[in-house]
């Protein structure tokens, strides 16, 4: 019986290798070749090298296996394995390669867009960094870590005001153009202190490019982090280009919203759907507006004891949030510790635990068990801060010690 099974297996094996083996082997070779070619340097940085002209042993030996003649399905498999730089190089080879690359959606771990005094950095999935330099005469110098050109074909670049921001942003958006492309995180930040004027120019340029995308186009990113100096209304505009169903985490530094903008912000689908909200600047958004999220950080002018209690009650709900969910509220005026403790509906009991906070800064720690659950809510009061975290009862020390963050791992 065993022998028959083995024989049958062998037969199947022979059958499949005879049909697909040849093609499979060639493709494997092809992928190696492409990766190899794409690691080589191009002579003229704006010209297509022979990327994609994937040739085997001898040219013309078998024209079926020349890159342009491979079936699209196979080519797509290859493109999916290419990194950012290789995709860009292939994209510039021909119209069909451009269409091929654009029709292969990507999954980026993160895209980090950073401003420095002299340049715009764009880092794709922590692997490839492109740097677009400012030049006095407005010519742009573009440098990849591998010393290559950028992603657009010459005839695609129609912008007359070709400063380094415009080129960088155009490349950045090109990589998000396909609506099946997803991204774990998009991050806009300054790497050094920069003229506000420059940041303003960058945001203007970004908004210009965003609004020239197809009207239904959205960025499918799970997280948005921004610390660029901009007006809060521009920030709301940028937010509107993110898909509200995909976006789960919003971190914003350096913004103050007026009453109208605050209302607009909390009414966006993005805010309503968010699982983590992280506002690191003083704001007037009421605590109740944060309570649908799993984790939030905020800074308020003054925290009312009744609000502090409302948060504790909300986090203590049975079958509510998962382990690790955290809240952190900083109040500009000192907390009324005694008044907060007076709100507690259980005997007040200070039971300190190890935490990342300085021991002498934590004035009171209370553990709120959650009935019928393995979780316990650990609430710490400090002079200006209240923070709480859902920890596993059997693992309190470790759970509490893990760094408090507004940025939990999603999914
Ligand atoms: C995006 O990718 C899909 C494949 O998932 C493809 O069918 C579609 O044509 C692409 N869109 C564009 C604009 O190329
Ligand atoms: C915009 O998107 C729609 C639907 O996806 C498509 O039919 C149309 O061709 C796109 N327009 C442009 C200018 O890309
Ligand atoms: C909050 O609201 C008060 C009263 O309307 C106002 O004086 C204060 O500037 C606001 N603070 C912020 C950070 O918006």
């Amino acid at each position: 019986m065993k022998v028959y099974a083995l024989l049958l297996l062998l037969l199947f094996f022979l059958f499949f290798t005879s049909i697909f083996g040849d093609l499979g082997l060639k493709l494997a070779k092809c992928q190696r070749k492409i990766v190899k070619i794409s690691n080589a340097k191009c002579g003229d940085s704006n010209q297509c090298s022979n990327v994609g002209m994937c040739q085997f042993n001898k040219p013309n030996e078998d024209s079926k296996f020349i890159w342009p003649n491979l079936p699209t399905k196979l080519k797509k498999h290859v493109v999916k394995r290419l990194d950012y730089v290789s995709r860009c190089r292939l994209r510039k080879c021909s119209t069909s390669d451009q269409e091929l690359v654009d029709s292969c959606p990507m999954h980026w771990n993160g895209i980090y867009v950073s401003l420095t005094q002299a340049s715009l950095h764009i880092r794709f999935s922590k692997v490839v960094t492109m740097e677009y330099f400012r030049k006095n005469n407005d010519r742009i110098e573009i440098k990849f870590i591998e010393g290559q050109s950028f992603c657009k074909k010459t005839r695609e670049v129609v912008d007359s005001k070709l400063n380094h921001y415009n080129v960088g942003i155009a490349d950045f958006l090109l990589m998000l153009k396909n609506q099946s492309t997803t991204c774990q995180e998009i991050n806009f930040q300054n790497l050094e202190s920069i003229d506000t004027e420059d940041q303003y120019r960058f945001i203007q340029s970004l908004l210009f490019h965003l609004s020239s995308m197809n009207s239904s186009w959205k960025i499918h990113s799970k997280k948005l982090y921004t610390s660029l100096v901009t007006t809060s209304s521009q920030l709301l505009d940028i937010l509107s280009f993110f898909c509200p169903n995909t976006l789960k985490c919003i971190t914003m530094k350096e913004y103050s919203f007026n009453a109208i903008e605050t209302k607009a912000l909390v009414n966006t689908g993005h805010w309503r759907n968010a699982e983590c909200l992280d506002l690191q600047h003083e704001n007037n958004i009421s605590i109740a507006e944060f309570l649908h999220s799993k984790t939030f950080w905020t800074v308020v002018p003054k925290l009312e004891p009744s609000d502090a209690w409302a948060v504790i009650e909300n986090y203590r709900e049975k079958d509510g949030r998962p382990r690790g969910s955290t809240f952190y509220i900083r109040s500009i005026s000192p907390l009324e510790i005694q008044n907060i403790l007076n709100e507690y509906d259980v005997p007040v009991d200070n039971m300190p635990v190890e935490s990342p906070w300085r021991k002498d800064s934590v004035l009171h720690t209370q553990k709120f068990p959650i009935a019928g659950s393995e979780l316990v809510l650990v609430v710490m009061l400090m002079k200006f801060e209240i923070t709480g975290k859902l920890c596993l009862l059997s693992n309190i020390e470790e759970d509490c010690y893990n760094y408090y963050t507004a940025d939990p791992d999603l999914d």
Side-chain angles (χ1 to χ4, degrees), residues 42-48 92 142 147-150:
C42 268
D44 178 344
S45 62
N46 264 332
Q47 284 304 306
C48 163
K92 292 167 85 178
I142 294 146
Q148 274 301 320
S149 65
F150 56 101

Side-chain angles (χ1 to χ4, degrees), residues 171-221:
D171 277 3
F172 160 67
L173 292 181
L174 195 59
M175 287 300 120
L176 293 168
K177 196 171 168 196
N178 191 305
Q179 286 293 271
S180 304
T181 290
T182 59
C183 189
Q184 200 66 20
E185 173 173 8
I186 293 197
N187 190 311
F188 297 108
Q189 64 186 358
N190 298 334
L191 288 187
E192 36 194 74
S193 58
I194 303 172
D195 286 358
T196 343
E197 190 62 28
D198 274 345
Q199 304 199 33
Y200 182 74
R201 277 206 309 140
F202 171 79
I203 297 290
Q204 286 290 91
S205 185
L206 178 63
L207 280 171
F208 171 79
H209 282 89
L210 285 170
S211 44
S212 59
M213 300 297 280
N214 202 332
S215 60
S216 58
W217 175 89
K218 295 279 183 244
I219 298 174
H220 295 274
S221 176

Side-chain angles (χ1 to χ4, degrees), residues 301-347:
K302 178 179 190 305
L303 182 66
E304 295 300 334
S306 58
D307 277 339
W309 178 243
V311 177
I312 294 174
E313 279 211 291
N314 189 280
Y315 268 69
R316 213 172 51 161
E317 267 166 24
K318 192 172 170 298
D319 302 327
R321 296 175 176 78
R323 173 183 178 187
S325 300
T326 302
F327 67 83
Y328 170 93
I329 305 166
R330 190 153 59 84
S331 170
I332 301 299
S333 55
L335 296 188
E336 298 165 24
I337 302 281
Q338 193 50 52
N339 290 342
I340 293 174
L341 294 176
N342 288 346
E343 299 270 349
Y344 285 14
D345 64 355
V346 293

Side-chain angles (χ1 to χ4, degrees), residues 7-272:
L7 262 175
L8 212 68
L9 216 72
L10 192 69
L11 261 172
F12 263 114
F13 180 68
L14 285 174
F15 177 68
F16 275 109
T17 41
S18 64
I19 290 195
F20 297 114
D22 203 23
L23 203 57
L25 198 67
K26 300 262 177 182
L27 181 62
K29 275 191 192 162
C30 176
Q31 289 174 351
R32 262 207 301 283
K33 267 268 168 44
I34 284 192
V35 172
K36 221 170 167 181
I37 292 168
S38 63
N39 284 339
K41 285 198 173 182
C42 268
D44 178 344
S45 62
N46 264 332
Q47 284 304 306
C48 163
S49 64
N50 63 341
V51 185
M53 291 309 247
C54 182
Q55 294 176 346
F56 299 95
N57 307 334
K58 287 179 206 133
N60 305 329
E61 179 193 325
D62 194 346
S63 68
K64 254 195 329 213
F65 296 118
I66 302 289
W67 173 258
N69 300 340
L70 287 176
T72 310
K73 214 174 157 186
L74 281 188
K75 288 204 235 179
K76 282 191 172 185
H77 277 296
V78 176
V79 173
K80 277 180 194 157
R81 296 166 55 119
L82 295 180
D83 66 7
Y84 175 76
V85 174
S86 308
R87 282 174 77 103
C88 283
R89 286 183 193 146
L90 179 58
R91 199 180 175 281
K92 292 167 85 178
C93 282
S94 67
T95 308
S96 67
D97 286 327
Q98 176 196 333
E99 282 166 5
L100 175 73
V101 170
D102 290 349
S103 71
C104 287
M106 284 289 289
H107 178 75
W108 304 102
N109 286 331
I111 305 183
Y112 305 84
V113 181
S114 321
L115 298 191
T116 73
Q117 289 289 0
S119 73
L120 174 67
H121 276 254
I122 305 185
R123 199 153 49 103
F124 289 92
S125 293
K126 297 192 176 168
V127 180
V128 180
T129 303
M130 304 213 298
E131 198 165 1
Y132 300 81
F133 285 95
R134 179 209 305 274
K135 273 274 176 97
N136 288 339
N137 58 4
D138 251 6
R139 264 180 52 236
I140 306 123
E141 186 188 316
I142 294 146
K143 213 163 79 180
F144 293 178
I145 44 167
E146 296 181 71
Q148 274 301 320
S149 65
F150 56 101
C151 214
K152 282 207 161 184
K153 297 172 77 170
T154 317
R155 62 168 182 74
E156 281 184 282
V157 181
V158 288
D159 201 331
S160 56
K161 290 197 289 294
L162 215 57
N163 63 45
H164 63 308
Y165 290 154
N166 281 330
V167 176
I169 291 165
D171 277 3
F172 160 67
L173 292 181
L174 195 59
M175 287 300 120
L176 293 168
K177 196 171 168 196
N178 191 305
Q179 286 293 271
S180 304
T181 290
T182 59
C183 189
Q184 200 66 20
E185 173 173 8
I186 293 197
N187 190 311
F188 297 108
Q189 64 186 358
N190 298 334
L191 288 187
E192 36 194 74
S193 58
I194 303 172
D195 286 358
T196 343
E197 190 62 28
D198 274 345
Q199 304 199 33
Y200 182 74
R201 277 206 309 140
F202 171 79
I203 297 290
Q204 286 290 91
S205 185
L206 178 63
L207 280 171
F208 171 79
H209 282 89
L210 285 170
S211 44
S212 59
M213 300 297 280
N214 202 332
S215 60
S216 58
W217 175 89
K218 295 279 183 244
I219 298 174
H220 295 274
S221 176
K222 277 192 181 170
K223 296 181 190 172
L224 166 65
Y225 171 101
T226 164
S227 63
L228 286 185
V229 176
T230 165
T231 67
S232 31
S233 78
Q234 284 175 324
L235 192 63
L236 286 168
D237 287 344
I238 292 173
L239 197 58
S240 71
F241 288 100
F242 282 75
C243 169
N245 298 327
T246 315
L247 194 64
K248 294 284 176 252
C249 273
I250 307 174
T251 297
M252 296 189 282
K253 288 183 168 181
E254 315 291 347
Y255 305 102
S256 39
F257 295 87
N258 66 28
I260 295 168
E261 290 157 351
T262 297
K263 200 165 170 210
L265 176 65
V266 301
N267 282 326
T268 58
H270 311 86
W271 184 277
R272 295 264 143 254

